Amino acid sequence: MFQEILASYGLQFDDYKIELHGSGLINYTWKISGIENDYLLQKINTNVFKEPTHIDENLLELRKFLDQHAPDYLFVSPLPNLKNETMVIFNEGYYRIFPFIKNSKSADYVKYADEAYQAAKQFGQFAKELDAFNTNKLKYTLVDFHNLSLRVKQFKSALENANPDRLHQAAAEIDELTNLDYIATKYQELIQNGKLKERVVHHDTKINNVLLHDQTGEGICVIDLDTVMPGYYISDVGDMMRTYLSEANEEEKDFTKVVVREEMFFAIYRGYMEEMGEALSASEKEQFIFSGKFMIYMQALRFLTDFLNDDIYYHTAYAEHNLVRAKNQIQLLKSYLSSEQVFEKIFQENSIVI
Ligand code: ADP
Ligand code: GN1
Ligand code: MG
């Protein structure tokens, strides 16, 4: 397989070393290392992305816009092959090749506030550069991806269909998430009342979807653009809160380590607002703190739903993996809720400055 795919890009299989790469939960990714250049080969998970060509079309549209309006912006889109295709089909699989960004690293958790700041600035810049892009030109690569009302519906239908063993194992978490459904009600109200503008949204701003310089730690670019589509900025800010506030990430089994660090909130706020502060409306800014609740709650629901559905969506390594992830996210949500007043203070103190 690798031989044929590489050949379609004019690359000689024997000149490269191929290794599985990264820790994404959805796609399959390999690093292709050569003497002069390295690449990243990726197979799209078509169980998740039912129409992979939508991803390709979106990236081409965005590339066109950025080439015209922000030619110096580093937008890591797939390379064209010898037939000028940016996505190739082999044995019914969809593949693409990206340039491997030199001297970059991605982290699976945030240790220092500067990493959170750098990452937030990158996602803020991404949103800013695309602020004037007409979202009608984008396809939905995953319909209703961050529609929390739909995620609640999927959770309820999983409750009806789950096997009794798993229902029993997850009883406490089912109760906790059901009791927190005011978060979903608030989301629905915000959307119905037009409080949030439809924008180009990344929709997966977790820390390993941004590349930082491997020596200086400076932000280089955002990656993992499959979920770029129309949406609301609370998705992007919220997923940063979800993945940068606690040092222990969603894989941590010792939940006492899942603790919100309030200085990381400030780092996210500063990094994102330095770029997007002027573009966001007052009613959008008001939801900055809600964004974390929204995304952490949704991720807890999604992991628990997948556990109840017998693990059909996320890659898992052991039987209770999705349940552990859901418990972890519930702990994170509790820690977030108990820090809300401090967040409010940081937000108020800085909203005039930035
Ligand atoms: P997934 O959708 O499975 O999360 P990603 O596109 O995020 O896949 O890629 C997985 C990992 O590969 C990233 O977390 C990052 O470490 C690395 N990676 C992806 N694209 C590049 C790139 N262009 N250059 C260097 N590393 C990359
Ligand atoms: C998935 O592809 P990856 O691993 O960056 C998921 C996100 C979740 C995340 C949880 C298309 O992201 O929505 O937040 O796992 N992507 C998709 O780690 O479902
Ligand atoms: Mg990723």
Side-chain angles (χ1 to χ4, degrees):
M1 154 195 117
F2 291 123
Q3 197 151 5
E4 288 88 343
I5 295 172
L6 292 190
S8 75
Y9 286 82
L11 303 174
Q12 193 73 43
F13 176 72
D14 296 336
D15 294 343
Y16 294 92
K17 190 173 89 189
I18 304 178
E19 297 159 300
L20 267 172
H21 186 79
S23 48
L25 297 193
I26 302 293
N27 293 320
Y28 298 90
T29 305
W30 297 269
K31 183 174 180 185
I32 313 280
S33 315
I35 293 171
E36 287 198 353
N37 290 312
D38 297 341
Y39 301 94
L40 199 101
L41 171 68
Q42 206 165 55
K43 181 176 191 215
I44 295 183
N45 181 337
T46 44
N47 279 332
V48 171
F49 296 100
K50 308 279 186 215
E51 301 208 58
T53 51
H54 284 177
I55 298 175
D56 201 40
E57 286 158 17
N58 281 354
L59 297 184
L60 287 172
E61 282 294 342
L62 294 168
R63 162 108 268 156
K64 239 191 327 182
F65 177 90
L66 289 167
D67 280 349
Q68 205 186 339
H69 295 92
D72 293 333
Y73 178 70
L74 180 56
F75 183 68
V76 189
S77 56
L79 296 168
N81 69 3
L82 297 175
K83 291 190 203 152
N84 211 25
E85 300 158 333
T86 41
M87 183 174 271
V88 296
I89 303 173
F90 184 76
N91 280 348
E92 294 175 18
Y94 289 75
Y95 298 82
R96 64 268 170 90
I97 285 184
F98 298 89
F100 192 93
I101 304 299
K102 286 198 171 78
N103 297 113
S104 70
K105 62 171 184 191
S106 73
D108 286 326
Y109 62 93
V110 172
K111 195 163 172 63
Y112 304 108
D114 190 56
E115 294 167 332
Y117 167 76
Q118 294 291 335
K121 202 167 166 66
Q122 283 300 316
F123 285 112
Q125 189 188 356
F126 174 80
K128 186 180 73 180
E129 302 294 2
L130 292 165
D131 191 30
F133 184 90
N134 177 0
T135 53
N136 292 331
K137 288 192 174 164
L138 291 179
K139 303 256 169 69
Y140 286 88
T141 59
L142 292 169
V143 177
D144 284 324
F145 185 43
H146 282 185
N147 178 345
L148 184 54
S149 314
L150 177 95
R151 296 296 181 187
V152 171
K153 254 193 217 155
Q154 290 172 334
F155 172 60
K156 287 186 179 157
S157 102
L159 286 178
E160 280 168 23
N161 300 309
N163 82 53
D165 258 7
R166 287 206 164 197
L167 272 177
H168 181 70
Q169 272 179 283
E173 290 68 39
I174 293 169
D175 274 355
E176 292 199 87
L177 290 185
T178 306
N179 291 336
L180 286 162
D181 68 355
Y182 73 90
I183 297 174
T185 312
K186 169 150 182 189
Y187 162 80
Q188 209 165 5
E189 280 165 14
L190 288 176
I191 303 306
Q192 271 165 3
N193 299 332
K195 298 278 186 202
L196 301 169
K197 182 183 165 188
E198 193 173 84
R199 300 177 170 278
V200 179
V201 168
H202 183 285
H203 284 112
D204 196 0
T205 60
K206 67 182 178 184
I207 193 66
N208 59 21
N209 287 331
V210 59
L211 298 180
L212 307 179
H213 193 282
D214 61 0
Q215 300 299 316
T216 66
E218 221 175 309
I220 300 177
C221 61
V222 308
I223 52 167
D224 203 347
L225 304 169
D226 306 336
T227 52
V228 175
M229 57 186 150
Y232 306 107
Y233 97 103
I234 56 168
S235 287
D236 283 359
V237 169
D239 214 34
M240 292 196 267
M241 308 273 206
R242 189 180 77 77
T243 62
Y244 311 172
L245 291 179
S246 163
E247 179 165 358
N249 70 14
E250 66 198 16
E251 297 298 327
E252 180 60 60
K253 295 176 192 164
D254 177 355
F255 307 134
T256 61
K257 293 186 179 154
V258 179
V259 183
V260 160
R261 296 164 296 177
E262 284 147 6
E263 75 271 22
M264 294 298 169
F265 176 87
F266 179 55
I268 296 170
Y269 180 83
R270 203 162 58 87
Y272 193 81
M273 286 306 207
E274 278 177 7
E275 299 292 331
M276 279 298 282
E278 280 180 24
L280 295 176
S281 69
S283 81
E284 285 180 304
K285 284 183 192 165
E286 265 176 39
Q287 303 313 324
F288 195 88
I289 296 172
F290 175 70
S291 70
K293 279 197 280 196
F294 161 67
M295 281 302 294
I296 301 168
Y297 181 64
M298 180 156 63
Q299 195 60 59
L301 270 181
R302 291 177 65 195
F303 282 143
L304 196 59
T305 303
D306 201 33
F307 177 73
L308 296 172
N309 287 340
D310 293 335
D311 311 318
I312 51 175
Y313 190 86
Y314 293 110
H315 295 323
T316 51
Y318 57 96
E320 295 84 27
H321 204 153
N322 275 317
L323 179 59
V324 167
R325 288 168 173 155
K327 288 183 181 181
N328 169 307
Q329 296 292 285
I330 292 171
Q331 168 55 33
L332 180 65
L333 185 53
K334 286 181 183 160
S335 179
Y336 191 93
L337 294 173
S338 65
S339 293
E340 255 190 309
Q341 280 183 349
V342 181
F343 293 163
E344 198 61 59
K345 196 161 168 275
I346 298 174
F347 183 82
Q348 292 307 338
E349 281 171 4
N350 291 282
S351 55
I352 309 137
V353 187
I354 294 172

